[in-house]
Amino acid sequence: MKQLLCWALAVALLACGQKAPAFPPLRTDATIVLFGDSLTYGTGAGPEQDIASLIAKELPFHVQNAGVPGNTTQDGLGRLEATLDQPIDLLIIGLGGNDFLRHVPLAETKRNLKQMIHLAKARGVVVLLMAIPQPSLGAAAFGNLSDHPVYEEVAEEEHIGLIKDVFTEVLSNNTTKSDQIHPNAKGYALAKDQLIAEMRRLGLINN
């Protein structure tokens, strides 16, 4: 009951635009699932150089990589329920990049993200949204990529936490990416640092 009250307070603080840490810290034995596409999978780097593996080496959590290269938000929606059949404390959704590259209507992408959030909440799972950069060769060349605004919209409308700027700088720098849309090992390490920093900002990690 105490844990449920803590999460209810977290949602209330987010809804009110509270800037202070919004969540109670995760237990040291918590299970975190990173649910995404090739950026989650670790395309462009070697084995155990993906973000999930790097976080698992650094923090005392059970971290699972549920990234499938090429997945759109529709693909993710189709496989999410099977993922949710296991006990999960925190689900981090990082999908949408392939939607943008394939010119999927933004309304469809937004609807799919929301449906995934609803599925996770219905199972009692805490869910965060990880923003993906808006594709732009020009912005990448000049080092000023930015997160697609749809993620902030969805996070605000669904009253969930948003993990920001994980890949923006990495994919703006030729030394930290393996191609135009994937980091290299150095890039994933930097992205991992940013993701952990965002989790600390939200109060999920307190050390």
Side-chain angles (χ1 to χ4, degrees), residues 1-206:
M1 178 63 70
K2 183 178 179 181
Q3 184 75 2
L4 288 173
L5 288 173
C6 287
W7 288 116
L9 177 60
V11 171
L13 289 173
L14 279 171
C16 294
Q18 177 69 31
K19 294 183 179 180
F23 296 99
L26 291 167
R27 304 188 317 270
T28 54
D29 63 345
T31 296
I32 302 172
V33 174
L34 273 66
F35 190 84
D37 50 30
S38 57
L39 291 176
T40 298
Y41 179 81
T43 298
E48 298 188 359
Q49 293 178 327
D50 58 280
I51 293 179
S53 296
L54 294 173
I55 292 176
K57 292 175 183 177
E58 185 169 333
L59 298 175
F61 305 126
H62 305 292
V63 188
Q64 297 181 20
N65 186 327
V68 177
N71 259 199
T72 62
T73 56
Q74 184 64 48
D75 296 323
L77 180 60
R79 65 183 174 92
L80 180 57
E81 287 201 81
T83 299
L84 293 171
D85 284 341
Q86 63 178 309
I88 301 173
D89 295 289
L90 176 65
L91 178 74
I92 300 177
I93 299 174
L95 283 163
N98 289 308
D99 292 48
F100 307 146
L101 293 173
R102 299 176 190 181
H103 305 290
V104 173
L106 189 58
E108 180 179 335
T109 298
K110 189 172 181 178
R111 181 172 61 252
N112 291 337
L113 289 171
K114 288 191 167 202
Q115 289 180 343
M116 284 186 275
I117 292 166
H118 296 165
L119 284 174
K121 285 183 174 181
R123 300 286 190 102
V125 176
V126 178
V127 57
L128 301 179
L129 198 57
M130 182 168 66
I132 306 298
Q134 187 164 357
S136 171
L137 292 177
F142 288 100
N144 60 352
L145 281 174
S146 59
D147 290 340
H148 198 292
V150 70
Y151 297 99
E152 187 168 6
E153 292 175 11
V154 171
E156 288 181 354
E157 291 169 9
E158 296 298 325
H159 306 303
I160 65 168
L162 177 65
I163 296 177
K164 302 180 287 188
D165 299 322
V166 173
F167 294 106
T168 50
E169 291 189 18
V170 168
L171 294 178
S172 296
N173 188 332
N174 287 332
T175 68
T176 55
K177 60 185 180 181
S178 61
D179 57 37
Q180 291 301 313
I181 59 174
H182 297 110
N184 55 24
K186 180 180 177 182
Y188 281 113
L190 292 174
K192 175 266 301 179
D193 289 342
Q194 177 62 15
L195 194 153
I196 290 176
E198 285 291 285
M199 291 176 68
R200 284 198 170 99
R201 177 183 65 82
L202 292 170
L204 291 161
I205 306 171
N206 62 0

